[in-house]
Amino acid sequence: TRVPYVAVKKVLMYGRHKLRTSELFEVTLKDPELRRGALIPLSATHYACVYAGEGLSTGGFVYSRQTARGAHEVVAINGTGIEHRRHSLAFGKFQALTPRQAAE
């Protein structure tokens, strides 16, 4: 199933769930073995951080590939958590910060 990713709005529709994301970044890790070890799909060209929300309680990363027309299709969503797994990051719910809070 192809899942379109609306990068401009920083929103990912995951089933019936609407998840907020960071902006898209290019995947710069090119070595296939390192990508496998980092759980980055080989077909991914871009990624974004996904904030925790309904349907993804701990946040994570969404990986997409850019199509010939410039659109992005999701190739994987990797959730994160605090349980012993192959990753070490966890994200909470999205919070908008004032410039002062962000600087602290």
Side-chain angles (χ1 to χ4, degrees):
T1 304
R2 291 183 178 175
V3 180
Y5 175 58
V6 183
V8 175
K9 295 184 179 181
K10 299 180 186 173
V11 170
L12 171 67
M13 292 305 297
Y14 181 57
R16 68 179 200 285
H17 307 294
K18 190 178 197 179
L19 300 173
R20 292 192 60 162
T21 71
S22 69
E23 63 186 281
L24 277 177
F25 298 97
E26 185 178 345
V27 175
T28 57
L29 187 61
K30 302 301 180 191
D31 184 279
E33 284 190 44
L34 293 176
R35 284 178 77 139
R36 280 189 205 96
L39 303 178
I40 300 171
L42 297 177
S43 61
T45 59
H46 292 78
Y47 74 95
C49 298
V50 180
Y51 299 102
E54 186 181 348
L56 193 61
S57 62
T58 59
F61 297 93
V62 59
Y63 294 96
S64 66
R65 72 174 187 87
Q66 192 166 15
T67 67
R69 293 185 179 183
H72 287 266
E73 292 179 350
V74 173
V75 294
I77 300 173
N78 293 343
T80 58
I82 58 173
E83 299 168 5
H84 180 69
R85 293 187 182 160
R86 293 186 60 197
H87 47 71
S88 61
L89 298 173
F91 297 93
K93 291 187 177 182
F94 175 80
Q95 290 184 328
L97 300 177
T98 66
R100 182 177 177 200
Q101 290 171 319
E104 293 177 353

